[in-house]
Amino acid sequence: MAPVDAEGALRTLAATLEGGGESRAGQIAMAEAVARAVRDEQPLVVRAGTGTGKTWAYLVGALLGTKGRVVVATATKALQDQLAGKDLPAVATLGLRPGLSWAVLKGRSNYLCRQAASEAGREADTPALGLEGDKGRATGRDVARLLAWADDTVTGDRAELAFEPSVAAWSSVSVGSDQCPGAKECPSGTECFAEAAYERARESDVIVVNLHLLGAHVASGGHVLPDHDVVILDEAHEAADVMAGALGVTLTPGRVAAVARLASAGGLARHRDGLDRALAPLLGTRMAEGATGDATVGEALTGLAEALRGERAALRGLQDDPALKARRDRATKALDALAADVETVLQTGDEVVTWVEQAGSQPALRVAPIDVGVELAKVAWSAATPILTSATIPPGLGRQLGLGSGAVDLDVGSPFDYRRLALLYVPRLPDPRHPDHEARAHAELEFLITAAGGRTLALFTSWRAMRAAHGTLVDRLSCRVLAQDDLPKPALIDIFRSNETSCLFATMGFWQGVDVPGTACSLVVIDRLPFPRPDDPVIQARRERAGASAFDTVDIPLVATRLAQGAGRLIRSNTDRGVVAVLDPRLAESSYRPVILAALPPMRRTRDRSDVTAFFDGAGRAR
Ligand code: SF4
């Protein structure tokens, strides 16, 4: 018989799947709170520390709380696949909902487009795909493999590919939602992989998406996902940035070129070059008065908007050649989407932030809302009860994401006994801005790595700091010291995990998502408090909006979240032990330290080296 309460359900899961019936109080509390919030349609924000088992908690809670459809939005596509392949099959065995069904849904460009593939197949021997030269021939080989795969695949999901195609090859057999005219207008609509995935989602009890697709749903005014009762945001601390990207606009010369190619609109080439020339001198610049605040950019955009209108009229006037109609429909969609984005950029006001950044080899003009909460509240939270969860919930997250004052906050802690397992060490060093800081920090790092016997993940706030530390210490230490630019991330983590005494020096990309349980990661060192860059355009705009309270409401929550994510790499299971060392005295001496410390796991704290040595001596005996 199916368990009728959260505790019974989670005990059953633990007993069947983990070989023991040990209850986890935090997990049960979270599942009960989720069930209650869903029943009462009350927004909930849950901080669930590492080891809570929050995925089972929110799935069980949501299924106990509603008979309606549940959407789970995760931070990455890898987490989507883990939920669908591991966690949901486990929860389905409980029988909380007979015949529980679920589907993974990704953005349209993640699926092979049958129509584009059939056109690419026809064009493969012609110059239309630009297959000349070595690069072109390699793309041609990738396209041929993709076309062969298209005949075999059941889902068309790019994640199932056994090889990594070039960007150009994948682009030639896929389309974004800004190009797809819809199944009804498409000759391949009845056999479309993306449409089939959307159909499966419409028939499922649980839909697993990523935050980007949820952002696209909100940006579309709620037209991407089927109706649902509950929406759960996992890794919710990343939601504000992802939503700002999804609700904003990005214009690049490459995007203009792609639309020109699709629409055979040679006249757009001049405007692509004009945009490139206008943006290039502004790289790294925030445009405080919007894109039209710069006369050259304003002119380039106005000219582009006019040219797009002309190309659109020319397409409309063409007599339909049935063989070309599908491509023309996609070109029309893409022209309209680009034209709409250019108009948006030309008309933006002070509710957005505009800046120019490097995107690969080209400049990108980006516009993002300063405040994503209004749109989320209007589109997402008005239609479904929101449950936000993460191991690190920054202060004010609910407000930032538009939850309003009625949201319930819950902290279920972590089942790990951090006071016994971990030590937080803040050495007595000069302020990071002092000229002596770097040399003293390197000496401290050498002492720490030696005391830990290697086994160190050193996290830096900049590439410069990482390279300086690596350059100084690599020959002074007897253990292997890997640097982030030695190898791709998965290969580095594999070596760090399997080579017990190795050390890994890395930057911000490694502060999250590194999961190395056991003794291989016994020391996490953080070079300084991870304040955002002063010239980050979005943060700058948020600071201006916050006024006098900006440091407390914008900067400190960000530092607290990032530091907690970095420190969270240390204890990954109940048998791990180790030290988190933060080489920045502000964590022990500043007036704002209580907020940052409150976001960290409750580790024992020290400023004395002798405690570190004693801790590792004890750990060594335990090993
Ligand atoms: S409907 Fe047609 S154009 Fe759109 S993704 Fe499907 S196959 Fe491609």
Side-chain angles (χ1 to χ4, degrees), residues 225-250:
L225 299 173
D227 289 349
H228 48 279
D229 286 1
V230 183
V231 56
I232 298 165
L233 273 65
D234 200 343
E235 305 294 327
H237 64 279
E238 294 191 29
D241 286 347
V242 176
M243 293 299 151
L247 295 172
V249 168
T250 302

Side-chain angles (χ1 to χ4, degrees), residues 292-581:
T292 51
D294 180 281
T296 318
V297 174
E299 270 169 37
L301 291 175
T302 313
L304 176 59
E306 208 168 300
L308 289 168
R309 278 195 290 275
E311 295 296 346
R312 183 68 169 80
L315 270 188
R316 208 179 292 129
L318 281 177
Q319 288 305 308
D320 268 348
D321 171 345
L324 295 177
K325 180 177 179 306
R327 188 183 175 104
R328 192 171 303 139
D329 285 347
R330 295 207 306 284
T332 305
K333 265 282 309 247
L335 275 171
D336 286 348
L338 180 57
D341 281 356
V342 173
E343 286 304 330
T344 301
V345 174
L346 284 169
Q347 288 164 17
T348 49
D350 58 5
E351 72 288 357
V352 299
V353 51
T354 306
W355 74 101
V356 182
E357 67 181 22
Q358 188 77 36
S361 57
Q362 59 181 340
L365 177 64
R366 298 207 50 199
V367 175
I370 300 169
D371 179 1
V372 295
V374 178
E375 241 7 61
L376 277 169
K378 194 168 83 189
V379 179
W381 314 151
S382 62
T385 305
I387 309 291
L388 275 50
T389 185
S390 174
T392 46
I393 297 284
L397 181 75
R399 192 186 58 241
Q400 192 186 10
L401 295 179
L403 287 192
S405 54
V408 173
D409 286 312
L410 176 69
D411 184 347
V412 298
S414 162
F416 301 154
D417 182 1
Y418 280 100
R419 287 196 65 75
R420 187 175 58 82
L421 302 175
L423 185 67
L424 173 64
Y425 170 55
V426 183
R428 295 175 205 283
L429 291 172
D431 185 279
R433 290 155 292 192
H434 191 280
D436 291 345
H437 177 267
E438 187 160 274
R440 295 270 305 275
H442 289 171
E444 196 64 46
L445 188 52
E446 186 179 3
F447 152 74
L448 285 162
I449 291 175
T450 307
R455 310 166 205 277
T456 300
L457 176 65
L459 297 171
F460 295 85
T461 44
S462 71
W463 280 88
R464 192 211 61 77
M466 183 200 79
R467 290 195 177 111
H470 188 262
T472 306
L473 297 180
V474 70
D475 293 330
R476 293 202 334 220
L477 293 163
S478 56
C479 53
R480 183 171 181 188
V481 185
L482 300 152
Q484 184 176 339
D485 37 6
D486 288 350
L487 287 167
K489 185 174 179 180
L492 279 175
I493 293 173
D494 271 355
I495 298 175
F496 179 56
R497 184 182 287 124
S498 55
N499 186 336
E500 263 291 284
T501 58
S502 64
C503 300
L504 175 54
F505 285 24
T507 63
M508 293 308 288
F510 284 63
W511 289 55
Q512 297 192 51
V514 176
D515 187 12
V516 180
T519 51
C521 183
S522 297
L523 169 65
V524 171
V525 182
I526 287 165
D527 72 330
R528 58 194 291 173
L529 293 183
F531 279 98
R533 281 177 36 187
D535 58 349
D536 180 310
V538 180
I539 306 287
Q540 259 185 8
R542 285 185 192 151
R543 279 193 201 108
E544 284 162 19
R545 181 158 286 199
S549 67
F551 187 69
D552 292 333
T553 58
V554 178
D555 291 90
I556 291 299
L558 264 174
V559 175
T561 307
R562 291 175 178 177
L563 190 72
Q565 285 290 332
R569 301 309 97 212
L570 182 70
I571 303 294
R572 309 301 298 170
S573 84
N574 220 357
T575 52
D576 287 359
R577 285 187 93 235
V579 173
V580 173

Side-chain angles (χ1 to χ4, degrees), residues 108 113-115 175 180-183 186 188-189 192 194-195 330:
R108 194 164 286 262
C113 165
R114 291 268 199 205
Q115 184 56 32
V175 300
C180 171
C186 172
S188 306
C192 170
E195 291 295 327
R330 295 207 306 284

Side-chain angles (χ1 to χ4, degrees), residues 21-222:
E22 211 179 296
S23 68
R24 285 185 273 192
Q27 189 184 44
I28 293 165
M30 177 171 172
E32 287 172 346
V34 171
R36 211 166 29 247
V38 169
R39 261 184 229 119
D40 299 346
E41 299 182 7
Q42 184 157 42
L44 174 69
V45 183
V46 190
R47 175 180 168 191
T50 313
T52 301
K54 64 179 175 348
T55 310
W56 286 2
Y58 62 63
L59 289 175
V60 165
L63 292 173
L64 285 171
T66 179
K67 295 198 182 329
R69 189 180 287 120
V70 176
V71 166
V72 181
T74 67
T76 62
K77 289 177 196 149
L79 280 173
Q80 275 184 280
D81 292 332
Q82 185 185 310
L83 258 152
K86 212 169 131 233
D87 298 311
L88 276 158
V91 170
T93 63
L94 293 170
L96 296 174
R97 194 180 295 184
L100 181 75
S101 56
W102 60 91
V104 170
L105 193 58
K106 298 174 182 175
R108 194 164 286 262
S109 60
N110 288 279
Y111 301 94
L112 181 126
C113 165
R114 291 268 199 205
Q115 184 56 32
S118 79
E119 290 168 20
R122 284 200 297 274
E123 291 168 356
D125 296 328
T126 76
L129 291 176
L131 301 181
E132 296 87 8
D134 285 350
K135 207 168 158 197
R137 275 188 287 280
T139 304
R141 279 194 295 277
D142 279 359
V143 171
R145 291 179 77 183
L146 287 166
L147 295 177
W149 173 71
D151 290 335
D152 289 340
T153 175
V154 176
T155 64
D157 183 347
R158 182 187 174 149
E160 290 176 9
L161 276 174
F163 69 104
E164 186 58 38
S166 67
V167 174
W170 182 256
S171 307
S172 68
V173 297
S174 65
V175 300
S177 53
D178 61 341
Q179 286 182 25
C180 171
K184 285 202 188 89
E185 299 295 323
C186 172
S188 306
T190 52
E191 47 177 0
C192 170
F193 290 122
E195 291 295 327
Y198 281 79
E199 197 46 50
R200 281 195 296 279
R202 271 190 286 275
E203 290 165 0
S204 295
D205 298 310
V206 180
I207 307 175
V208 184
V209 303
N210 58 37
L211 289 170
H212 290 273
L213 191 61
L214 182 65
H217 174 70
V218 176
S220 74

